[in-house]
Amino acid sequence: MQKRTFLKLAAFALGATAMTGAARAEMAGEITEPVTISFYNYNLATASAGADATREMIAKFEEENPLIKVETVGVPSNEIITRIQADMAAGIQPDVAQLVFRDLIYLASDLGAQPLEDMAGAEGYTELVDGLIPRGVDLGKIDGKTYGLAYTFSTPILYYNADLFRQAGLDPDNPPKTWAEVKTAAEAIVEKTDADGFFPGAYGPADGTFVYQAILMSNGGKVRDGNTLTFADPAGIEAVQMLRDMVDSGAHARLDPSNPQEAFAAGQLGMYLYTSALQSSLSKASEGNWELRVAAMPAFGDKPTAPTNSGSALYAFSQDPIKQRAAYELMKFLTSDYGYTIITSKIGYLPLRLDIVDDPKFLGLWTAEHPLIRPNLEQLSRLTPNVAFPGPNYRQAESMMKEAVTEAVLGTNDVAQTLTDAQANAQALMP
């Protein structure tokens, strides 16, 4: 009943000016006394620009909303869902959390994430998402309701070392556009320099499967069809076989899948396909040492690419109407024009409000000084969901798929058999 009080009555007092202040406060969840909400956030769990920028945004929010105190809980991204589960089991109710999209179905079906249309009301929800790119908003929806509000996004982009391109006789102004061109360029780098050619961040333990999914779907494949896994269908086998062929030719390096960016940052890798969120740190690593450039993710011939989203959404778990209102205000602030100015310029994620990109009041001057963001902005027009797995065993099923892809590419077994066996085993975990 508490939740419904907040949902239905005046949509946070928007348009409810006829009511008295006291009645409006009681009925619409208006904040008239100090309230503290918790914010579980994985950007805060590292000593990085992301942590500093997040603290800056929260301090600004508290300054503009003096009645709301945000109590932060910094937890690494690969541990945060477990922490929330444990806290809920101990009777500690999280209010807002930054969580990745791979957990979307589970968060909505099992952990009580609030549908934002219900929590905020029609007018409040419209105000919350107005101006955000529709594709981003849609990624947080299940059955027409938004459970995750698009927050920090990136897509896979092709970083490349322009100095190594020149040493290998390649034109850095004409980077590879297809996988065949990646293979050719990587082989030239291996042959004519002391560096490795190419590596995709598709096999690491911490980031789910978004790069692999982007490659798979760019070839017309699908991870699943409803509750039926399909990653070992012909298009999926063909995509992974392409990577295996690059390994066999020497174009695809054999690096530690858990941290290949170290080789790229050190100037020992020609091309690296991974999240655009690394752009800031890679720019710093390359400065004065070698020239960093970026390009859109490669295509399978003339097929359109399907760049998946890496990153997070904001989820509301509050049950109390006043805390729901405070959670709403925090979510709206973090995804505002100001929020995305900080998120993009100081963390490296994409601005999901495209009208601020060239606006001198927000990102205009920064964008002019950082043209490397342009290829990633262009890919937003084809943004594709990082497909979440259903059921209580969703992470185990996803891990089985990722481990099979890693073995199929970097191992010695037959690609088709490795993927087919893994799909059959993972299917047994599906609901």
Side-chain angles (χ1 to χ4, degrees):
M1 182 62 186
Q2 280 186 327
K3 182 170 69 174
R4 293 298 173 189
T5 301
F6 179 68
L7 307 183
K8 295 182 178 179
L9 298 175
F12 306 151
L14 297 173
T17 54
M19 290 191 288
T20 67
R24 187 169 69 237
E26 179 183 357
M27 298 177 71
E30 187 173 351
I31 298 168
T32 58
E33 296 181 356
V35 58
T36 297
I37 57 171
S38 60
F39 180 29
Y40 289 62
N41 182 287
Y42 64 72
N43 285 134
L44 288 169
T46 59
S48 67
D52 293 339
T54 302
R55 283 190 285 267
E56 179 180 343
M57 288 191 292
I58 292 172
K60 180 72 170 174
F61 172 78
E62 290 180 334
E63 178 185 337
E64 295 186 6
N65 297 269
L67 293 179
I68 304 176
K69 172 68 176 175
V70 180
E71 183 179 83
T72 59
V73 182
V75 188
S77 61
N78 61 337
E79 300 174 12
I80 194 168
I81 189 73
T82 303
R83 171 65 182 273
I84 288 175
Q85 290 171 317
D87 283 359
M88 284 184 168
I92 302 169
Q93 177 64 58
D95 296 310
V96 182
Q98 174 199 19
L99 296 160
V100 295
F101 282 88
R102 64 196 290 214
D103 299 316
L104 174 66
I105 296 173
Y106 175 72
L107 294 169
S109 63
D110 290 65
L111 283 195
Q114 301 290 311
L116 299 181
E117 292 89 344
D118 295 348
M119 191 183 87
E123 290 182 67
Y125 176 78
T126 297
E127 185 175 346
L128 186 65
V129 301
D130 184 44
L132 290 173
I133 63 166
R135 278 180 175 266
V137 174
D138 288 346
L139 295 185
K141 291 185 176 181
I142 300 175
D143 297 331
K145 290 292 181 73
T146 308
Y147 291 86
L149 178 66
Y151 182 44
T152 56
F153 269 34
S154 67
T155 61
I157 59 173
L158 185 68
Y159 297 99
Y160 65 100
N161 184 320
D163 290 0
L164 289 176
F165 266 54
R166 295 185 189 98
Q167 293 173 32
L170 303 168
D171 181 5
D173 294 327
N174 187 28
K177 298 179 179 61
T178 66
W179 285 109
E181 292 174 357
V182 168
K183 183 173 183 287
T184 298
E187 288 172 347
I189 291 170
V190 171
E191 179 183 354
K192 299 179 181 179
T193 77
D194 293 329
D196 285 315
F198 166 76
F199 198 90
Y203 324 114
D207 298 297
T209 60
F210 82 99
V211 173
Y212 158 66
Q213 287 199 26
I215 295 172
L216 167 70
M217 290 187 282
S218 293
N219 196 41
K222 295 173 64 177
V223 171
R224 62 179 176 86
D225 185 3
N227 289 345
T228 301
L229 297 178
T230 58
F231 62 85
D233 282 1
I237 292 172
E238 184 180 65
V240 174
Q241 185 67 58
M242 179 274 296
L243 295 173
R244 173 67 169 272
D245 291 344
M246 290 178 67
V247 170
D248 292 342
S249 77
H252 183 309
R254 289 185 177 274
L255 301 176
D256 180 355
S258 67
N259 198 17
Q261 59 261 35
E262 281 191 356
F264 187 75
Q268 295 301 307
L269 178 65
M271 293 171 283
Y272 182 42
L273 182 70
Y274 200 47
T275 170
S276 57
L278 280 186
Q279 190 167 300
S280 177
S281 62
L282 289 176
S283 294
K284 292 177 182 176
S286 65
E287 189 173 1
N289 299 308
W290 50 273
E291 184 184 354
L292 173 68
R293 295 198 189 181
V294 300
M297 71 172 293
F300 287 87
D302 58 1
K303 296 178 183 179
T305 58
T308 53
N309 66 303
S310 163
S312 66
L314 297 174
Y315 298 82
F317 296 94
S318 302
Q319 300 295 320
D320 176 83
I322 299 300
K323 289 195 171 189
Q324 286 186 345
R325 172 63 185 269
Y328 169 88
E329 296 294 346
L330 177 63
M331 295 169 77
K332 185 168 68 171
F333 181 86
L334 293 174
T335 57
S336 66
D337 291 348
Y338 162 81
Y340 277 115
T341 299
I342 299 298
I343 286 169
T344 299
S345 65
K346 296 190 176 183
I347 303 180
Y349 288 105
L350 289 169
L352 299 188
R353 296 183 177 276
L354 296 182
D355 56 351
I356 71 172
V357 170
D358 296 304
D359 189 331
K361 297 192 301 293
F362 298 104
L363 281 174
L365 297 178
W366 182 89
T367 301
E369 295 175 357
H370 297 81
L372 295 185
I373 194 176
R374 293 292 182 183
N376 206 9
L377 288 173
E378 188 277 329
Q379 290 190 154
L380 281 176
S381 64
R382 299 185 304 284
L383 188 66
T384 304
N386 180 7
V387 177
F389 283 50
N393 300 311
Y394 71 106
R395 284 216 166 183
Q396 294 95 313
E398 182 191 46
S399 292
M400 292 173 73
M401 178 181 72
K402 181 169 60 176
E403 289 166 5
V405 171
T406 304
E407 170 59 28
V409 176
L410 298 175
T412 58
N413 293 333
D414 179 74
V415 169
Q417 192 64 54
T418 300
L419 294 177
T420 300
D421 289 348
Q423 180 171 285
N425 291 333
Q427 185 64 51
L429 300 177
M430 297 294 280

